[in-house]
Amino acid sequence: MALNQSGWRPEMNAGGADDSTTFTGNRALMLEEPLLFEIGSTETTGVDFDEDTAAADLGPLARSAPIGLPGLSESETVRHYTRLSRQNYAIDLGLFPLGSCTMKHNPRLNEKVARMPGFADVHPLQPQETVQGAYAVIHELAEWLVTLTGMHAVAMSPKAGAHGELCGVLCIKAALAARGEDRRVLLVPESAHGTNPATAAFAGFTVEDIPANAEGRVDLAALEARLGPDVAGVMITNPNTCGLFERDLKAISDAVHAAGGYVYCDGANFNAIVGRVRPGDLGVDAMHINLHKTFSTPHGGGGPGSGPVVLSAALAPFAPLPFVTKDGDRFRLIEEENADEAHPDSFGRMTAFHGQMGMFTRALAYILSHGADGLKQVSEDAVINANYVLRNLQDLLDAPFAASGPCMHEALFSDKGLAEGFSTLDIAKGLIDEGYHPMTVYFPLVVHGAMLIEPTETESKAVLDQFIGALRSIALRAKNGDPALKSAPHFAPRARLDETLAARKPVLRWEG
Ligand SMILES: *Cc1c(COP(=O)(O)O)cnc(C)c1O
């Protein structure tokens, strides 16, 4: 609620704070914060410029009229943004149940390593002999990724999952061109992450759906029936977005290869199978790995992604430049200037330089601190945690694929069985009052009113039990039709917003 300049609101005349309001609008340590435009003034500033010197330095570029932005003193500015930041939710505050996102704890060790001057302060244009250590990190991480996936090579430079998809699909395109074939269709299952069809279309392919079977997996017979000389390949997410392992992937790969196509695997969910399954053994030709999901590098608002792409022997010759190679005990870059001898068939470049160095150091720190046995345990624990959530909620929330066997790293529920007029959105909003970020809602599209929950391996049983308790209580309220749930959240700084209106008619200008 907006305060006027003095923080006083007319309704307070009646006697100040009662049980539900306070003079300030604050609720104990949850501080209400007006907009900068409401509390700042064009007359106030936290810095004291010598206007003549500034103007002299800027010359003709100096501003001729005041810009009219509100200012605050330094301490008020710091408080404003700190208060706003406290209205946020973060992985360091509590469990993040988002499915299809893998919001992992970011170990502090990773951060320490990434900030070491030898990694943080190097520049991609430095002479190669001065950055041998950084190249060694890229090379060692690349070897881990190739070993863990059982693939032939890896392109390290793509900067996110979707960017990695583009890299893999461009490799497929280049391989087809080298064979002199013009195959236009990429088959993508209904349950695919939205980036898959988007990538295929962006790379110039025509996207065709493959249906899912009743179990929530790719319908093998339907896929085989569609293969032919116009099909460039398939893009399959494994484990898929219903949280299920695609058991037929080897049969799918064999059929696609026999028909002359390539297999792209979306490996964003690799954290569910790392150390247990090698996609190379399943006939995969290209797969991106989200370092920011599987290997614990910051994610979402927290930092840039990184999406290295592992490649089969068939696609490796087309991988992008530049990349690090090892000669004896020295590392060097293969770039356009020297690619002719070493890597003549590359499709080109994905990024200006070598990729996300900060993510590489974090991912390698995570891998080395876990070791091979630790990584195997990561996937086991992630799967056990998701199954614990699934089995402790399936009596209250409809779990459409609970009968398809254990889930992988995420548990999927639908809105079936809620009271008339109650929806997935009400459950998500109720979770905010309980102090949790909501789970992923309305995705995947194959399930009505989907709720997708991924706890990750880092959450303890005690944390899961509290989350399950909160969700059970909200699910019961939604089944019993508790009207208060329809207007949740009640304890958040802002109550239920009209998100559709906000998206369709955003108000982007402050008019005081
Ligand atoms: C997160 C995710 C992606 C996209 O990764 P970005 O790094 O966000 O581009 C693709 N596929 C699946 C299954 C994902 O979970």
Side-chain angles (χ1 to χ4, degrees):
M1 75 201 70
L3 303 181
N4 66 20
Q5 286 291 8
S6 67
W8 169 87
R9 280 174 287 127
E11 64 268 27
M12 288 175 174
N13 267 356
D18 59 25
D19 281 354
S20 61
T21 63
T22 55
F23 176 78
T24 51
N26 298 335
R27 286 164 178 262
L29 297 182
M30 199 65 230
L31 303 178
E32 177 60 26
E33 188 59 11
L35 296 175
L36 197 52
F37 292 92
E38 293 172 285
I39 49 175
S41 131
T42 52
E43 304 304 312
T44 313
T45 174
V47 283
D48 192 7
F49 280 126
D50 181 342
E51 293 200 8
D52 293 342
T53 331
D57 285 350
L58 289 168
L61 297 176
R63 199 181 298 283
S64 54
I67 191 170
L69 287 178
L72 293 170
S73 71
E74 181 182 332
S75 60
E76 286 171 321
T77 306
V78 170
R79 284 180 186 162
H80 175 70
Y81 289 106
T82 306
R83 286 175 179 171
L84 287 182
S85 76
R86 288 169 40 124
Q87 298 186 2
N88 217 335
Y89 191 81
I91 193 72
D92 288 339
L93 284 173
L95 175 139
F96 235 103
L98 281 176
S100 201
C101 283
T102 320
M103 302 295 290
K104 271 199 205 207
H105 165 64
N106 305 139
R108 294 303 178 269
L109 178 68
N110 295 359
E111 300 306 312
K112 198 164 179 182
V113 171
R115 283 168 176 73
M116 291 165 101
F119 298 130
D121 296 346
V122 294
H123 191 280
L125 291 177
Q126 257 174 257
Q128 298 191 15
E129 57 279 13
T130 67
V131 285
Q132 288 290 306
Y135 289 169
V137 165
I138 300 177
H139 193 263
E140 186 167 351
L141 177 61
E143 286 194 328
W144 270 97
L145 298 181
V146 166
T147 304
L148 287 168
T149 54
M151 298 286 284
H152 185 77
V154 59
M156 297 297 286
S157 63
K159 294 196 173 182
H163 204 210
E165 290 172 28
L166 183 62
C167 172
V169 168
L170 290 179
C171 285
I172 292 175
K173 203 170 179 174
L176 288 170
R179 276 163 41 187
E181 290 182 30
D182 185 23
R183 293 172 176 243
R184 291 291 175 90
V185 177
L186 267 177
L187 303 178
V188 183
E190 277 175 350
S191 63
H193 193 270
T195 49
N196 292 190
T199 298
F202 187 74
F205 289 97
T206 305
V207 180
E208 282 187 30
D209 271 357
I210 324 169
N213 61 23
E215 273 192 343
R217 297 186 166 93
V218 170
D219 185 333
L220 178 61
L223 180 130
E224 282 177 341
R226 181 55 191 86
L227 292 173
D230 60 334
V231 174
V234 291
M235 290 184 87
I236 291 186
T237 306
N238 201 17
N240 72 22
T241 45
C242 297
L244 301 172
F245 188 74
E246 294 285 358
R247 293 183 194 134
D248 289 334
L249 188 53
K250 182 72 175 76
I252 291 171
S253 301
D254 290 346
V256 171
H257 290 152
Y262 294 97
V263 178
Y264 188 90
C265 180
D266 180 330
N269 298 329
F270 191 51
N271 64 310
I273 56 173
V274 63
R276 301 241 133 216
V277 177
R278 299 189 314 164
D281 298 338
L282 303 178
V284 168
D285 289 299
M287 181 182 94
H288 73 268
I289 298 169
N290 292 47
L291 298 186
H292 50 291
K293 293 181 182 172
T294 301
F295 297 112
S296 85
T297 71
H299 187 180
S306 182
V309 182
V310 286
L311 297 165
S312 64
L315 292 187
F318 308 100
L321 299 167
F323 59 87
V324 172
T325 187
K326 192 173 181 190
D327 292 333
D329 61 355
R330 306 302 291 165
F331 298 94
R332 69 186 173 101
L333 279 187
I334 304 293
E335 296 182 274
E336 283 77 356
E337 294 73 21
N338 56 4
D340 279 354
E341 21 115 9
H343 193 65
D345 296 325
S346 166
F347 72 71
R349 211 170 245 257
M350 294 294 294
T351 68
F353 299 117
H354 331 319
Q356 302 283 27
M357 190 63 208
M359 298 300 115
F360 297 159
T361 48
R362 288 175 174 89
L364 187 60
Y366 178 85
I367 288 175
L368 293 178
S369 59
H370 280 73
D373 57 335
L375 290 179
K376 204 174 199 171
Q377 188 170 351
V378 159
S379 53
E380 256 177 55
D381 291 353
V383 170
I384 288 171
N385 278 358
N387 279 281
Y388 187 71
V389 170
L390 178 67
R391 300 305 173 199
N392 278 295
L393 284 163
Q394 66 180 33
D395 61 322
L396 269 185
L397 284 174
D398 176 57
F401 302 124
S404 307
C407 65
M408 298 302 291
H409 58 307
E410 50 196 1
L412 179 59
F413 301 95
S414 88
D415 61 2
K416 197 168 141 195
L418 304 186
E420 179 73 28
F422 283 75
S423 66
T424 290
L425 190 69
D426 301 318
I427 295 188
K429 297 297 184 188
L431 265 182
I432 297 176
D433 272 343
E434 293 287 348
Y436 291 102
H437 189 288
M439 70 289 268
T440 291
V441 293
Y442 300 104
F443 180 83
L445 303 177
V446 284
V447 166
H448 194 269
M451 288 170 258
L452 189 60
I453 299 176
E454 175 174 9
T456 79
E457 81 285 358
T458 48
E459 302 301 348
S460 67
K461 180 169 178 298
V463 169
L464 293 183
D465 283 339
Q466 197 197 37
F467 174 73
I468 289 166
L471 196 45
R472 287 188 68 86
S473 135
I474 299 164
L476 262 179
R477 289 169 65 197
K479 288 185 92 120
N480 295 334
D482 173 5
L485 189 63
K486 290 288 324 168
S487 50
H490 301 280
F491 307 135
R494 292 295 174 274
R496 196 175 297 204
L497 306 174
D498 186 338
E499 286 155 6
T500 313
L501 188 70
R504 298 224 169 119
K505 294 192 176 162
V507 180
L508 302 176
R509 253 181 92 98
W510 167 253
E511 282 164 26

